[in-house]
């Protein structure tokens, strides 16, 4: 039950996120649908590749594809002002990250993968779609910026990999905690250490 709920939540959130970004960079309707679908399903597809699941399994999620298409259609038909408000609210990435990170970790743990693999599965499922979306939209991926993003997915993977969240209420609580941590870190401007290399001018 938790798996299905998180699947739906993550799919809707990332489909909205992808559609909004596509409209922001002035993609046409086809580009909007493609970017929305890639954002919603890209992370799961990459996870499947790394965990040995046939990619064809992706196409067995008919209900989720329908949900994503309906979501993208609604976003595309919204008035410009509503889309701008949704973009400024910027919570959909946080929702998608939290839902899919937990779902990815749950899957890896269910097939008895080691802790590092569970954490990797959480990270790639939670952030993979967003990375592909940003690359296709010719933007610097959020994951690779100073802003705290991927770390929260790794935290979710660590908690599940350690067996600290097994029951439904524990998993839902973890979802809320990761979501809040992502929102708070974004609002407060928390960042990870960064180092830049500049060319030394010779005199």
């Amino acid at each position: 039950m938790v798996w299905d709920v998180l699947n739906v939540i993550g799919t809707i959130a990332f489909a909205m996120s992808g559609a909004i970004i596509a409209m922001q960079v002035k993609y046409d309707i086809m580009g909007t649908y493609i970017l929305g679908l890639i954002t919603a399903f890209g992370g799961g597809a990459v996870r499947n590749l790394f965990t040995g699941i046939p990619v064809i399994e992706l196409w067995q999620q008919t209900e989720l594809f329908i949900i994503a298409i309906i979501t993208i259609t609604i976003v595309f038909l919204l008035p410009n002002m509503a889309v701008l408000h949704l973009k400024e609210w910027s919570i959909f990435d946080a929702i998608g990250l939290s839902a899919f990170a937990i779902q990815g970790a749950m899957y890896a743990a269910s097939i008895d993968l080691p802790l590092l693999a569970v954490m990797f599965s959480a990270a790639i499922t939670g952030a993979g779609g967003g990375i592909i979306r940003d690359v296709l939209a010719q933007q610097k991926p959020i994951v690779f910026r100073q802003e705290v993003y991927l770390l929260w997915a790794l935290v979710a993977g660590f908690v599940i990999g350690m067996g600290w969240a097994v029951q439904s209420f524990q998993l839902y609580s973890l979802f809320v905690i990761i979501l809040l941590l992502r929102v708070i870190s974004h609002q407060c401007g928390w960042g990870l250490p960064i180092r830049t290399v500049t060319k030394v001018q010779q005199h």
Side-chain angles (χ1 to χ4, degrees):
M1 182 63 181
V2 176
W3 172 275
D4 293 331
V5 171
L6 292 178
N7 239 343
V8 172
I9 291 174
T11 298
I12 292 174
F14 271 151
M16 293 185 73
S17 173
I20 291 170
I21 294 294
M23 295 167 68
Q24 179 186 348
V25 298
K26 299 180 180 180
Y27 282 4
D28 62 18
I29 186 170
M30 186 60 68
T32 302
Y33 276 103
I34 290 174
L35 202 61
L37 290 172
I38 285 176
T39 308
F41 296 99
V46 176
R47 176 203 64 210
N48 289 358
L49 284 173
F50 278 98
T51 54
I53 304 174
V55 179
I56 195 172
E57 290 288 329
L58 179 70
W59 304 109
Q60 309 302 320
Q61 306 177 89
T62 305
E63 296 84 359
L64 291 178
F65 273 103
I66 293 173
I67 289 171
I69 290 171
I70 291 173
T71 301
I72 296 166
T73 302
I74 292 172
V75 173
F76 191 83
L77 295 176
L78 286 174
N80 286 344
M81 191 59 68
V83 175
L84 288 173
H85 282 310
L86 288 175
K87 179 179 177 295
E88 291 173 2
W89 198 32
S90 69
I91 195 173
F92 303 112
D93 260 344
I95 294 173
L97 173 75
S98 182
F100 277 160
I102 293 172
Q103 189 232 34
M106 287 173 62
Y107 175 77
S110 72
I111 57 175
D112 297 322
L113 291 180
L115 177 60
L116 286 178
V118 174
M119 293 173 66
F120 176 81
S121 181
I124 201 64
T125 310
I131 294 173
I132 299 171
R133 174 203 64 203
D134 291 342
V135 170
L136 292 178
Q138 298 182 344
Q139 297 182 349
K140 185 185 292 185
I142 296 175
V143 174
F144 304 138
R145 301 178 195 170
Q146 185 179 5
E147 187 176 332
V148 182
Y149 187 86
L150 193 63
L151 176 64
W152 303 132
L154 292 171
V155 169
F158 181 78
V159 170
I160 291 174
M162 293 295 292
W164 297 342
V166 179
Q167 302 298 322
S168 295
F169 78 91
Q170 295 172 327
L171 292 167
Y172 285 129
S173 297
L174 181 61
F175 167 74
V176 173
I177 291 169
I178 298 299
L179 172 59
L180 289 176
L181 285 172
R182 168 56 189 156
V183 171
I184 292 170
S185 65
H186 177 71
Q187 294 297 325
C188 296
W190 295 352
L192 295 173
I194 185 172
R195 179 184 175 188
T196 58
V197 178
T198 57
K199 186 177 181 180
V200 178
Q201 293 184 350
Q202 295 181 352
H203 298 285

